[in-house]
């Protein structure tokens, strides 16, 4: 029996939200249901991004485009859709989507850590 993903409704309800944070940081959420497919087996397209005071994305999770993986490891030489951007310039690193709940938890936890680290400089 498959477990219900209680965070899915919350993720979908965040679609279009932009939230301003301290020190000029802000985040944006986009999410909508799509038919499950090989490219999107969980049936949700999403983009959760954290931006700085210059409106530059500094971190985010999305599945808007595929990324080619490294030639070694779990995702060896595959194109994956779910990924995380750890800096403003990286092309993305594989993210193993397990649930919308976990995605939201990962995004908000990592965003908080990034802001703390950057504001201590």
């Amino acid at each position: 029996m498959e477990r219900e993903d209680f965070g899915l409704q919350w993720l979908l309800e965040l679609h279009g939200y932009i939230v301003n944070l301290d020190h000029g940081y802000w985040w944006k959420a986009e999410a909508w249901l799509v038919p499950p497919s090989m490219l999107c087996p969980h049936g949700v397209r999403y983009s959760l991004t954290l931006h700085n005071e210059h409106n530059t994305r500094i971190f985010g999770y999305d599945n808007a485009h595929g990324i080619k993986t490294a030639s070694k490891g779990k995702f060896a030489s595959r194109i994956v859709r779910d990924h995380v951007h750890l800096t403003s310039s990286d092309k993305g690193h594989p993210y193993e989507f397990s649930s919308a709940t976990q995605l939201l938890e990962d995004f908000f936890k990592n965003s908080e850590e990034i802001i703390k680290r950057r504001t201590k400089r």
Side-chain angles (χ1 to χ4, degrees):
M1 185 167 133
E2 194 172 313
R3 291 181 78 181
E4 184 174 353
D5 184 359
F6 293 103
L8 180 59
Q9 191 59 41
W10 185 34
L11 176 63
L12 295 171
E13 288 177 11
L14 287 174
H15 179 74
Y17 271 77
I18 296 174
V19 176
N20 294 306
L21 306 169
D22 291 339
H23 307 288
Y25 293 95
W26 56 277
W27 61 262
K28 179 180 179 182
E30 297 176 318
W32 58 96
L33 292 175
V34 296
S37 67
M38 289 289 290
L39 295 175
C40 191
H42 40 71
V44 62
R45 294 290 303 269
Y46 62 87
S47 173
L48 299 170
T49 54
L50 175 67
H51 303 259
N52 66 15
E53 68 276 11
H54 305 294
N55 297 326
T56 301
R57 183 203 69 209
I58 57 171
F59 174 72
Y61 290 92
D62 74 87
N63 62 356
H65 57 89
I67 60 164
K68 188 170 180 168
T69 62
S71 58
K72 295 181 182 181
K74 183 174 184 174
F75 299 101
S77 298
R78 292 192 295 172
I79 302 292
V80 297
R81 302 285 292 191
D82 298 292
H83 60 276
V84 57
H85 295 276
L86 300 172
T87 67
S88 60
S89 60
D90 82 28
K91 303 278 188 224
H93 305 276
Y95 173 73
E96 191 164 350
F97 183 98
S98 60
S99 68
T101 301
Q102 188 63 54
L103 173 69
L104 289 165
E105 185 177 313
D106 292 344
F107 175 72
F108 289 119
K109 177 181 172 244
N110 289 315
S111 293
E112 185 176 308
E113 290 170 358
I114 289 166
I115 291 170
K116 279 183 185 177
R117 191 170 57 246
R118 293 175 130 235
T119 55
K120 285 185 179 180
R121 291 186 203 177

